[in-house]
Amino acid sequence: MGLLLNEDEVMIRDMAEGFFADKAPVSELRRLRDTKDETGFDRALWTEMAQMGFAGVLIDDDHGGNGMGYMAAGLIAEQIGKNLSATPFLSTAVLAATALSKGGSEAQKSEWLPKIADGSTIMALALDEGGKHNPKKTATTAEKSGNGFKLNGSKAMVADGHVADKLIVVARTSGDVGDPDGLSLFLVDPKADGVSVERTIMADSRNSARVELDNVEVDGDAVLGDIESGDATLDAVLKAGRAALSAELLGAGQEAFDQTLGYLKERKQFGKIIGEFQALQHRAAHMYGEIEVARSAVLAALTALDSGDENADLYVSMTKAKLGKTAKHISVEGIQLHGGVGMTDEYDIGLFSKRIRVAQEMFGDANFQLDKIASAKKF
Amino acid sequence: MTDLETFRTETCAWLEDNCPAEMRTDMSGDNDACWGGRNFKFQSEAQKVWLERCAAKGFTAPSWDKKYGGAGLNRAQEQVLRQEMKRINARPPLSSFGVWMLGPALLKFGSEDQKLEYLPPITRGEIRWCQGYSEPGSGSDLASLQTKAEDKGDHYLVNGQKVWTSYADKADWIFCLVRTDNSGSKHEGISFLLFDMETPGVEAKPIKLISGKSPFCETFLTDVKVPKRNLVNEEGQGWNIAKYLLTHEREMIGETGAARPVSEMAVDLAGLEDGKLADPILRGEIAQAEVDDWAFKMTMGRMLGEAKAGASLGAKSSMLKYYGTELNKRRYELLMDAAGGDGLEWEGERSDDGRLAKSWMRTKGNSIEGGTSEVMLNIVAKRVLDMPGA
Ligand SMILES: Cc1cc2nc3c(=O)[nH]c(=O)nc-3n(C[C@H](O)[C@H](O)[C@H](O)COP(=O)(O)OP(=O)(O)OC[C@H]3O[C@@H](n4cnc5c(N)ncnc54)[C@H](O)[C@@H]3O)c2cc1C
């Protein structure tokens, strides 16, 4: 694996780079935050992203997408990370598109995928329940009821939950809390009886919600695919989500590093540019090494997903672990090396730290992934 | 079939026919390496045959031109050869500072006569080289070196002392940095000389290391006469050559690592309880080391690939050297953690004469040899990140 981008990929990267810097820079996140925007992102921007083909990267041609694949999705996510762009890319174009593509029936695919690709439908994955990601601890239940199911439980960290047109709810159809299997996915209308959605304002000012499911009745055809395929579908969704988050963390980490390095070359103290101090040079050089190594991991994971490598799941977890650690390290150093201004809202470095904190937590922080890796490698 | 596929098929068949079975087993350490040289004692007939066959085929320095004893392979072919050798677990036919370090420098800076004279014997494993850079007063600040070479008409008269000269007591020739001029800045006036270790006035004294072994020496140079034609390139070019060569050395040292994943070795050492390493914190640290290991290997490949595509690796090799060696030190700390008291045995059969403990101690030198980690970070800060100051 050379991990070098081919011509198409370079084109996508350049396109995404220009697009997000131009249309959704950090100032746009500040505007959404400061105006307490109800949607939490700009719908017009999302429509434009769909027109650019970004919403349909993981959707095949037959269902309205362009099937460019995971590397393309990662390159887009990286630019989203770099600009802290608030968009439903992760929730809808990555998580929902993967859930439907990999697990949906033909009817479900035909109904929903084109609407994801054209930007008209927003979807959100309701998976996690406690503060820490751990799918096997899923306690939300789906009990058979008539020719459908009755859902009960509560969900947290649901990205774009409060604006979603559909929720994809993960619930237990068999086994006990703690079992790795027995989970199924359901398409749930957020306006259905018994569903309550509370927007949660998070540290990163990005969309998140808590969802309560109180005896929510759904039809049999609300099941994504079938009951039994839920575990496999969820695995695919998590692989895609972790990879996209890793790419986003790469973009955010790289930008936080670049801004910090820029500051080290500009700020003067003791009659010197602070970047002349060797203690700071070494910290910067160390970060450079870490981010380069992290970048290789992201590229390798995306490549493995595109090629259907049998170790893709392992590589994705390794990558999420690496990016979680590295981006966090850079965000901690980034504020410190900015001194007092690093603590101000005016400087962007703090905003990067906040987003990195959230993104590294989603779908498993480094410790979660390390435990998973050790188990997979049998040690 | 593409040319590369044809090459793979042929290489595969050649290796199958020519690599002796004994050379397809894991090496237990440096003792099993074939270093060649005038005084080298082959460990086995198989080792000798394997070297001879590879040398005849050009596979001891695959990328070098055929007229210099190489096989003239391009990067892709070289990679195929590496893959195919790895597939059958073939040992490297030759470990050689000549191939790794001097060769690349001569190919870039040497005269045609010098290339023809020195490179073929290197590829045949006939002449073993050592590297005479460091001096007692000049380590990280290598350019401050004081070993003096005076112009005596047809030869240089060399006086001074080198130190940490790896395998100087076993090497046949030395490539040596000397000062031919004191008038300019410290980087100017350094020249690159080649001479035979049997030249009168050369004396190498082994230094015992914390690992218990003595692979490196103090090298004393007293009125050593070196013919003028043994100067590489011009007087004053020594620093440029040394820098170029260090880039190669750094890429290579960065690559050092355990043959097997740390987790596998740790499981062998500590065993499993309920399918897991009993120490949960060590388990996490090992998983993290494997993540870094994997991502670092990808990075080596990626950066070399980028260099091939046009951009130069240059100072980035310092990052790889820093990262790879620090990682290797971490791996061995983890293995020592896993082994506990058993890993601390220094002598005796049970521990294979303290193989793990001695390897652990040896890794400490990784981040010192070829430029220390601190110096690597200095280089990255200045030359890659373009940070200000000295
Ligand atoms: C196993 C091994 C094999 C070797 N083989 C060879 C060989 O074959 N041939 C050869 O010529 N040499 C060889 N060396 C020598 C090696 O290149 C030197 O040891 C190395 O360059 C460091 O020099 P020094 O030992 O003088 O340490 P010093 O330069 O004295 O360093 C001492 C400490 O100070 C730090 N330091 C120094 N300068 C700076 C700075 N500017 N900024 C921050 N920190 C700094 C160093 O990082 C180190 O931590 C070998 C060394 C080892 C350990």
mmCIF file of all heavy atoms in Angstrom, chain A residues 216-245:
data_model
loop_
_atom_site.group_PDB
_atom_site.id
_atom_site.type_symbol
_atom_site.label_atom_id
_atom_site.label_comp_id
_atom_site.label_asym_id
_atom_site.label_seq_id
_atom_site.Cartn_x
_atom_site.Cartn_y
_atom_site.Cartn_z
ATOM 1 N N VAL A 216 -42.976 3.028 21.764
ATOM 2 C CA VAL A 216 -43.141 3.503 20.396
ATOM 3 C C VAL A 216 -43.502 2.325 19.496
ATOM 4 O O VAL A 216 -42.757 1.345 19.414
ATOM 5 C CB VAL A 216 -41.839 4.170 19.886
ATOM 6 C CG1 VAL A 216 -42.015 4.627 18.442
ATOM 7 C CG2 VAL A 216 -41.456 5.336 20.784
ATOM 8 N N GLU A 217 -44.667 2.430 18.832
ATOM 9 C CA GLU A 217 -45.110 1.334 17.963
ATOM 10 C C GLU A 217 -44.609 1.555 16.545
ATOM 11 O O GLU A 217 -44.792 2.645 15.987
ATOM 12 C CB GLU A 217 -46.652 1.287 17.914
ATOM 13 C CG GLU A 217 -47.333 1.167 19.268
ATOM 14 C CD GLU A 217 -47.552 -0.285 19.676
ATOM 15 O OE1 GLU A 217 -47.176 -1.195 18.906
ATOM 16 O OE2 GLU A 217 -48.088 -0.508 20.781
ATOM 17 N N VAL A 218 -43.956 0.543 15.998
ATOM 18 C CA VAL A 218 -43.563 0.631 14.582
ATOM 19 C C VAL A 218 -44.037 -0.606 13.834
ATOM 20 O O VAL A 218 -44.201 -1.674 14.432
ATOM 21 C CB VAL A 218 -42.023 0.774 14.415
ATOM 22 C CG1 VAL A 218 -41.529 2.092 14.979
ATOM 23 C CG2 VAL A 218 -41.283 -0.401 15.026
ATOM 24 N N ASP A 219 -44.218 -0.449 12.530
ATOM 25 C CA ASP A 219 -44.613 -1.576 11.670
ATOM 26 C C ASP A 219 -43.444 -2.532 11.473
ATOM 27 O O ASP A 219 -42.292 -2.165 11.676
ATOM 28 C CB ASP A 219 -44.978 -1.084 10.261
ATOM 29 C CG ASP A 219 -46.304 -0.367 10.255
ATOM 30 O OD1 ASP A 219 -47.024 -0.491 11.275
ATOM 31 O OD2 ASP A 219 -46.583 0.323 9.256
ATOM 32 N N GLY A 220 -43.797 -3.706 10.967
ATOM 33 C CA GLY A 220 -42.750 -4.674 10.632
ATOM 34 C C GLY A 220 -41.797 -4.134 9.576
ATOM 35 O O GLY A 220 -40.603 -4.421 9.607
ATOM 36 N N ASP A 221 -42.312 -3.329 8.665
ATOM 37 C CA ASP A 221 -41.402 -2.856 7.603
ATOM 38 C C ASP A 221 -40.544 -1.671 8.052
ATOM 39 O O ASP A 221 -39.802 -1.096 7.270
ATOM 40 C CB ASP A 221 -42.155 -2.559 6.298
ATOM 41 C CG ASP A 221 -43.244 -1.535 6.474
ATOM 42 O OD1 ASP A 221 -43.262 -0.876 7.551
ATOM 43 O OD2 ASP A 221 -44.083 -1.389 5.555
ATOM 44 N N ALA A 222 -40.637 -1.326 9.334
ATOM 45 C CA ALA A 222 -39.709 -0.322 9.859
ATOM 46 C C ALA A 222 -38.348 -0.951 10.154
ATOM 47 O O ALA A 222 -37.354 -0.252 10.353
ATOM 48 C CB ALA A 222 -40.265 0.303 11.136
ATOM 49 N N VAL A 223 -38.333 -2.288 10.211
ATOM 50 C CA VAL A 223 -37.051 -2.961 10.460
ATOM 51 C C VAL A 223 -36.134 -2.738 9.258
ATOM 52 O O VAL A 223 -36.545 -2.956 8.113
ATOM 53 C CB VAL A 223 -37.251 -4.483 10.662
ATOM 54 C CG1 VAL A 223 -35.901 -5.165 10.860
ATOM 55 C CG2 VAL A 223 -38.170 -4.748 11.827
ATOM 56 N N LEU A 224 -34.936 -2.298 9.522
ATOM 57 C CA LEU A 224 -33.968 -2.101 8.444
ATOM 58 C C LEU A 224 -33.459 -3.483 8.035
ATOM 59 O O LEU A 224 -32.857 -4.174 8.857
ATOM 60 C CB LEU A 224 -32.825 -1.221 8.937
ATOM 61 C CG LEU A 224 -31.977 -0.602 7.832
ATOM 62 C CD1 LEU A 224 -32.625 0.684 7.333
ATOM 63 C CD2 LEU A 224 -30.588 -0.312 8.327
ATOM 64 N N GLY A 225 -33.749 -3.875 6.803
ATOM 65 C CA GLY A 225 -33.408 -5.235 6.383
ATOM 66 C C GLY A 225 -34.244 -6.200 7.180
ATOM 67 O O GLY A 225 -35.455 -6.079 7.250
ATOM 68 N N ASP A 226 -33.602 -7.142 7.870
ATOM 69 C CA ASP A 226 -34.357 -7.993 8.767
ATOM 70 C C ASP A 226 -33.705 -7.999 10.142
ATOM 71 O O ASP A 226 -32.617 -7.474 10.331
ATOM 72 C CB ASP A 226 -34.488 -9.405 8.184
ATOM 73 C CG ASP A 226 -33.141 -9.977 7.801
ATOM 74 O OD1 ASP A 226 -32.271 -10.069 8.694
ATOM 75 O OD2 ASP A 226 -32.943 -10.320 6.607
ATOM 76 N N ILE A 227 -34.400 -8.620 11.088
ATOM 77 C CA ILE A 227 -33.959 -8.627 12.479
ATOM 78 C C ILE A 227 -32.537 -9.179 12.623
ATOM 79 O O ILE A 227 -31.698 -8.647 13.330
ATOM 80 C CB ILE A 227 -34.909 -9.515 13.319
ATOM 81 C CG1 ILE A 227 -36.333 -9.012 13.240
ATOM 82 C CG2 ILE A 227 -34.457 -9.586 14.761
ATOM 83 C CD1 ILE A 227 -36.581 -7.751 13.980
ATOM 84 N N GLU A 228 -32.309 -10.288 11.898
ATOM 85 C CA GLU A 228 -31.042 -11.007 12.079
ATOM 86 C C GLU A 228 -29.832 -10.254 11.532
ATOM 87 O O GLU A 228 -28.718 -10.427 12.005
ATOM 88 C CB GLU A 228 -31.103 -12.387 11.403
ATOM 89 C CG GLU A 228 -31.934 -13.401 12.154
ATOM 90 C CD GLU A 228 -33.429 -13.098 12.066
ATOM 91 O OE1 GLU A 228 -33.851 -12.550 11.020
ATOM 92 O OE2 GLU A 228 -34.153 -13.369 13.037
ATOM 93 N N SER A 229 -30.070 -9.422 10.507
ATOM 94 C CA SER A 229 -28.918 -8.781 9.861
ATOM 95 C C SER A 229 -28.450 -7.532 10.608
ATOM 96 O O SER A 229 -27.480 -6.894 10.228
ATOM 97 C CB SER A 229 -29.271 -8.420 8.417
ATOM 98 O OG SER A 229 -30.307 -7.460 8.420
ATOM 99 N N GLY A 230 -29.173 -7.194 11.690
ATOM 100 C CA GLY A 230 -28.869 -5.944 12.397
ATOM 101 C C GLY A 230 -27.429 -5.834 12.873
ATOM 102 O O GLY A 230 -26.796 -4.788 12.735
ATOM 103 N N ASP A 231 -26.913 -6.927 13.441
ATOM 104 C CA ASP A 231 -25.555 -6.862 13.995
ATOM 105 C C ASP A 231 -24.525 -6.562 12.910
ATOM 106 O O ASP A 231 -23.636 -5.736 13.097
ATOM 107 C CB ASP A 231 -25.214 -8.182 14.698
ATOM 108 C CG ASP A 231 -26.131 -8.441 15.889
ATOM 109 O OD1 ASP A 231 -26.255 -7.532 16.736
ATOM 110 O OD2 ASP A 231 -26.731 -9.528 15.947
ATOM 111 N N ALA A 232 -24.687 -7.248 11.771
ATOM 112 C CA ALA A 232 -23.732 -7.040 10.678
ATOM 113 C C ALA A 232 -23.855 -5.624 10.118
ATOM 114 O O ALA A 232 -22.852 -4.965 9.810
ATOM 115 C CB ALA A 232 -23.966 -8.064 9.570
ATOM 116 N N THR A 233 -25.096 -5.158 10.004
ATOM 117 C CA THR A 233 -25.299 -3.798 9.495
ATOM 118 C C THR A 233 -24.661 -2.783 10.439
ATOM 119 O O THR A 233 -23.961 -1.857 10.011
ATOM 120 C CB THR A 233 -26.804 -3.491 9.353
ATOM 121 O OG1 THR A 233 -27.389 -4.495 8.529
ATOM 122 C CG2 THR A 233 -27.024 -2.128 8.736
ATOM 123 N N LEU A 234 -24.881 -2.993 11.725
ATOM 124 C CA LEU A 234 -24.320 -2.057 12.697
ATOM 125 C C LEU A 234 -22.790 -2.038 12.613
ATOM 126 O O LEU A 234 -22.172 -0.978 12.682
ATOM 127 C CB LEU A 234 -24.786 -2.420 14.117
ATOM 128 C CG LEU A 234 -24.304 -1.474 15.218
ATOM 129 C CD1 LEU A 234 -24.793 -0.043 14.971
ATOM 130 C CD2 LEU A 234 -24.771 -1.945 16.591
ATOM 131 N N ASP A 235 -22.193 -3.203 12.447
ATOM 132 C CA ASP A 235 -20.731 -3.253 12.297
ATOM 133 C C ASP A 235 -20.267 -2.398 11.121
ATOM 134 O O ASP A 235 -19.296 -1.657 11.219
ATOM 135 C CB ASP A 235 -20.254 -4.700 12.075
ATOM 136 C CG ASP A 235 -20.225 -5.487 13.380
ATOM 137 O OD1 ASP A 235 -20.350 -4.848 14.443
ATOM 138 O OD2 ASP A 235 -20.085 -6.723 13.321
ATOM 139 N N ALA A 236 -20.976 -2.547 10.010
ATOM 140 C CA ALA A 236 -20.606 -1.780 8.815
ATOM 141 C C ALA A 236 -20.762 -0.283 9.059
ATOM 142 O O ALA A 236 -19.915 0.526 8.652
ATOM 143 C CB ALA A 236 -21.457 -2.219 7.627
ATOM 144 N N VAL A 237 -21.848 0.071 9.750
ATOM 145 C CA VAL A 237 -22.104 1.489 10.042
ATOM 146 C C VAL A 237 -21.001 2.046 10.942
ATOM 147 O O VAL A 237 -20.487 3.146 10.727
ATOM 148 C CB VAL A 237 -23.486 1.655 10.712
ATOM 149 C CG1 VAL A 237 -23.671 3.070 11.238
ATOM 150 C CG2 VAL A 237 -24.592 1.294 9.729
ATOM 151 N N LEU A 238 -20.631 1.265 11.942
ATOM 152 C CA LEU A 238 -19.616 1.751 12.878
ATOM 153 C C LEU A 238 -18.252 1.870 12.213
ATOM 154 O O LEU A 238 -17.492 2.799 12.477
ATOM 155 C CB LEU A 238 -19.543 0.825 14.095
ATOM 156 C CG LEU A 238 -20.745 0.963 15.043
ATOM 157 C CD1 LEU A 238 -20.667 -0.083 16.154
ATOM 158 C CD2 LEU A 238 -20.815 2.372 15.637
ATOM 159 N N LYS A 239 -17.941 0.922 11.345
ATOM 160 C CA LYS A 239 -16.672 1.004 10.603
ATOM 161 C C LYS A 239 -16.625 2.311 9.814
ATOM 162 O O LYS A 239 -15.641 3.046 9.875
ATOM 163 C CB LYS A 239 -16.580 -0.171 9.612
ATOM 164 C CG LYS A 239 -15.648 -1.261 10.041
ATOM 165 C CD LYS A 239 -15.370 -2.243 8.905
ATOM 166 C CE LYS A 239 -16.608 -2.994 8.469
ATOM 167 N NZ LYS A 239 -16.362 -4.207 7.693
ATOM 168 N N ALA A 240 -17.697 2.570 9.082
ATOM 169 C CA ALA A 240 -17.733 3.779 8.255
ATOM 170 C C ALA A 240 -17.681 5.031 9.129
ATOM 171 O O ALA A 240 -16.946 5.984 8.836
ATOM 172 C CB ALA A 240 -19.005 3.786 7.404
ATOM 173 N N GLY A 241 -18.444 5.010 10.230
ATOM 174 C CA GLY A 241 -18.495 6.177 11.111
ATOM 175 C C GLY A 241 -17.153 6.447 11.764
ATOM 176 O O GLY A 241 -16.699 7.592 11.831
ATOM 177 N N ARG A 242 -16.511 5.386 12.242
ATOM 178 C CA ARG A 242 -15.207 5.576 12.900
ATOM 179 C C ARG A 242 -14.168 6.072 11.911
ATOM 180 O O ARG A 242 -13.320 6.894 12.245
ATOM 181 C CB ARG A 242 -14.749 4.259 13.533
ATOM 182 C CG ARG A 242 -15.536 3.897 14.776
ATOM 183 C CD ARG A 242 -15.254 2.460 15.211
ATOM 184 N NE ARG A 242 -16.097 2.103 16.353
ATOM 185 C CZ ARG A 242 -16.515 0.872 16.603
ATOM 186 N NH1 ARG A 242 -16.161 -0.122 15.802
ATOM 187 N NH2 ARG A 242 -17.266 0.624 17.653
ATOM 188 N N ALA A 243 -14.238 5.546 10.694
ATOM 189 C CA ALA A 243 -13.271 5.985 9.686
ATOM 190 C C ALA A 243 -13.490 7.460 9.346
ATOM 191 O O ALA A 243 -12.540 8.242 9.258
ATOM 192 C CB ALA A 243 -13.382 5.119 8.433
ATOM 193 N N ALA A 244 -14.760 7.841 9.181
ATOM 194 C CA ALA A 244 -15.043 9.235 8.840
ATOM 195 C C ALA A 244 -14.650 10.164 9.988
ATOM 196 O O ALA A 244 -14.098 11.248 9.769
ATOM 197 C CB ALA A 244 -16.527 9.401 8.507
ATOM 198 N N LEU A 245 -14.927 9.739 11.216
ATOM 199 C CA LEU A 245 -14.531 10.561 12.365
ATOM 200 C C LEU A 245 -13.012 10.674 12.455
ATOM 201 O O LEU A 245 -12.473 11.723 12.801
ATOM 202 C CB LEU A 245 -15.085 9.959 13.656
ATOM 203 C CG LEU A 245 -16.567 10.229 13.909
ATOM 204 C CD1 LEU A 245 -17.116 9.258 14.951
ATOM 205 C CD2 LEU A 245 -16.783 11.680 14.362
#
